[in-house]
Amino acid sequence: MQDTALYEYLLGLKSPWSVSRVNLDVKEQRVDVWAEHPEGAKWECPQCAKKLPLYDHSEERTWRHLDSCQFQTHLHARIPRVECDEHGVVQVKVPWAEPRSRFTLLFERLAIDVLSQCDVSGATGILRISWDEAWGLMQRAVKRGKERKKARVVRRIGVDEKAAAKGHRYLTLVCDLDDGTVEHIAEDRKQDSLDGYYAGLSKKQLNGIEAVAMDMWKPYIQSTLAKVPDAAGKIVFDRFHVMGYIGKAVDTVRRQEHLELMESDDETLKGTKHLWLYSRENLPDWRRNEFNALRRQELKVGRAWAIKEALRRLWNYAYPESGRKFWKRWYFWATHSRLAPVRAAAETIRRHIDNILTYYQHPVTNAMSEGLNSKIQKIKSMACGFRNMENFKTAIYFHCGGLDLYPC
Ligand SMILES: [Zn+2]
């Protein structure tokens, strides 16, 4: 087999295209391949597919292809142009690459596989492409995937804020809780950050939303109430966020009590911060005795901890009525605890209780898609590599969007 025929085969070139020349540069470890076509070939207008004769050629262009062994391989060709009555003078489509891409389809497929398995700087090393080229490939893959994505009803969504790498900039993420995919990303965590997601949905899609898990965050609440039909019964405040409030209150009680005790050099609470934040069953075995001894000491933080632990039962009830009865008992206990931080947390929770108890109809939380959260966490931990917010968003869609990224 001649080298030109070999490359025709490797590149999958079909008539009228053929390989005219192959150049091997051993010193540069590089193979250059030129594709050409015979005179008189007819070409399709890329818009209307009308068969037309050649008008002229654009300048020679180069595409990076899969390496030939360790040799970087580049394909060269001049793309024919046709003159269509309707669409003017236009470049035809070449079978080996997408319009405007500097890579062949096969190379893009490989690049997407590599980029989905390692971080961007690792991928640039393996693929021997530049940083900007890697991001360009990811952006194009995401754009392709989003264009292809079919509109569907997402029944249960989670709205979550993520702090972006530096400073206090936030992203709003909308997730499909059942599929574990990120459906929408917007900058900031304002009402219009979420409005943007709802605005892109059809009436059928909006009506199809059954539950929205979120933090007790006013802009998200307002956006959802304004855009989703019957949202009042569909918003479910994330139970872990609710527990976070009471957990913080326990920590405040501990800190204040520790300061009081230290005035008389009493170090009872020194180094105990995390003990009070664990759920009962997560307490490490080696600290169990220490913790039980503290619990016997009639400490304020011990009372606060017991109130916190009791609240967890709120999510265990099968019947809304029993749940509501439990809530009333718990609220009475918390507000009569003589612990100001606990009382304040109980008040905050009371103001939101109706949409906490919607959990009984729609048992959703933002922690439902654990796999998704840990993926986003991983992307975030590589965030030192993100030179801008756009790249961060691209990476989330690329890894978590559930998109079909490959060129066809
Ligand atoms: Zn045309």
Side-chain angles (χ1 to χ4, degrees):
M1 199 184 255
Q2 281 194 326
D3 51 2
T4 52
L6 173 66
Y7 272 95
E8 258 164 49
Y9 179 75
L10 292 179
L11 287 159
L13 289 190
K14 287 195 187 79
S15 171
W17 289 101
S18 62
V19 170
S20 61
R21 185 156 70 92
V22 177
N23 187 49
L24 171 69
D25 186 332
V26 176
K27 207 167 132 241
E28 292 290 322
Q29 302 235 317
R30 177 181 166 122
V31 180
D32 286 278
V33 181
W34 280 264
E36 62 165 23
H37 61 84
E39 273 179 44
K42 294 264 188 177
W43 307 94
E44 281 185 2
C45 165
Q47 318 258 358
C48 64
K50 200 186 289 163
K51 291 256 189 192
L52 297 160
L54 179 74
Y55 176 75
D56 67 357
H57 285 103
S58 60
E59 279 190 17
E60 182 179 297
R61 287 190 43 196
T62 306
W63 294 264
R64 171 83 185 275
H65 187 55
L66 300 177
D67 292 358
S68 313
C69 300
Q70 78 277 33
F71 289 65
Q72 266 197 29
T73 302
H74 299 263
L75 173 66
H76 305 258
R78 295 178 67 196
I79 304 180
R81 301 204 300 168
V82 291
E83 187 177 27
C84 172
D85 294 341
E86 218 176 311
H87 300 104
V89 176
V90 277
Q91 261 185 25
V92 308
K93 278 184 194 149
V94 292
W96 57 81
E98 287 194 332
R100 284 180 297 280
S101 176
R102 293 153 66 193
F103 303 96
T104 65
L105 296 173
L106 286 172
F107 187 89
E108 285 207 40
R109 294 187 78 93
L110 171 72
I112 288 166
D113 286 341
V114 172
L115 282 159
S116 56
Q117 295 301 320
C118 53
D119 64 29
V120 176
S121 64
T124 59
I126 294 169
L127 295 164
R128 294 189 282 175
I129 56 176
S130 72
W131 175 265
D132 289 336
E133 284 172 333
W135 281 108
L137 281 161
M138 286 173 81
Q139 275 156 14
R140 286 157 44 76
V142 165
K143 184 165 174 276
R144 199 182 289 129
K146 280 173 137 183
E147 281 166 4
R148 270 184 209 157
K149 189 169 180 171
K150 294 210 172 66
R152 69 190 203 291
V153 170
V154 181
R155 292 192 305 115
R156 310 197 291 173
I157 64 175
V159 183
D160 214 353
E161 58 175 52
K162 295 274 173 217
K166 276 174 204 141
H168 286 281
R169 294 180 68 192
Y170 286 91
L171 289 180
T172 294
L173 264 59
V174 181
C175 306
D176 178 333
L177 292 175
D178 294 297
D179 282 4
T181 51
V182 172
E183 295 294 304
H184 183 79
I185 308 173
E187 292 196 14
D188 228 319
R189 45 173 181 168
K190 296 184 184 139
Q191 188 168 344
D192 59 10
S193 317
L194 184 53
D195 283 351
Y197 171 67
Y198 294 133
L201 301 183
S202 67
K203 212 167 175 185
K204 186 179 165 202
Q205 287 174 303
L206 284 170
N207 280 317
I209 297 175
E210 293 169 15
V212 187
M214 64 169 75
D215 291 353
M216 298 182 275
W217 180 246
K218 211 168 171 189
Y220 293 164
I221 300 169
Q222 283 172 333
S223 170
T224 304
L225 287 174
K227 308 282 179 188
V228 178
D230 308 315
K234 297 178 177 175
I235 294 173
V236 184
F237 293 127
D238 183 64
R239 60 181 286 186
F240 300 100
H241 186 238
V242 175
M243 285 307 298
Y245 267 87
I246 191 77
K248 254 184 223 147
V250 174
D251 196 46
T252 309
V253 171
R254 177 202 53 84
R255 220 172 43 238
Q256 289 169 354
E257 192 172 23
H258 179 52
L259 290 176
E260 284 163 26
L261 291 173
M262 284 302 283
E263 276 171 24
S264 44
D265 295 327
D266 182 338
E267 295 194 340
T268 304
L269 286 177
K270 199 177 164 192
T272 67
K273 173 176 174 141
H274 294 287
L275 283 181
W276 306 104
L277 298 179
Y278 285 118
S279 302
R280 190 190 294 268
E281 65 279 9
N282 292 337
L283 201 66
D285 277 338
W286 63 281
R287 298 197 73 175
R288 231 165 251 279
N289 288 341
E290 175 193 359
F291 186 66
N292 289 338
L294 282 167
R295 288 267 291 131
R296 282 192 291 271
Q297 287 196 42
E298 306 267 318
L299 292 156
K300 286 180 192 164
V301 64
R303 270 194 291 134
W305 177 86
I307 295 170
K308 174 200 73 165
E309 282 300 292
L311 184 62
R312 296 170 60 204
R313 285 170 48 203
L314 183 63
W315 288 274
N316 295 343
Y317 285 91
Y319 301 103
E321 268 325 294
S322 329
R324 207 169 265 282
K325 270 186 200 150
F326 170 81
W327 158 253
K328 282 185 179 148
R329 286 201 304 277
W330 184 88
Y331 175 76
F332 183 86
W333 183 20
T335 46
H336 290 75
S337 63
R338 285 167 288 119
L339 302 166
V342 170
R343 237 167 40 216
E347 283 305 334
T348 303
I349 297 169
R350 183 189 56 78
R351 281 199 302 277
H352 296 89
I353 193 65
D354 288 338
N355 287 95
I356 294 171
L357 300 182
T358 43
Y359 182 84
Y360 301 132
Q361 278 82 47
H362 313 289
V364 291
T365 81
N366 269 338
M368 266 171 80
S369 26
E370 263 312 320
L372 182 61
N373 281 326
S374 64
K375 255 199 245 170
I376 294 171
Q377 216 41 48
K378 223 159 128 192
I379 296 170
K380 236 175 93 174
S381 69
M382 308 188 301
C384 48
F386 296 114
R387 297 188 184 166
N388 60 48
M389 202 68 140
E390 243 6 84
N391 286 355
F392 189 30
K393 280 155 71 172
T394 298
I396 297 175
Y397 278 127
F398 187 89
H399 292 284
C400 312
L403 300 172
D404 175 10
L405 300 167
Y406 293 114
C408 27

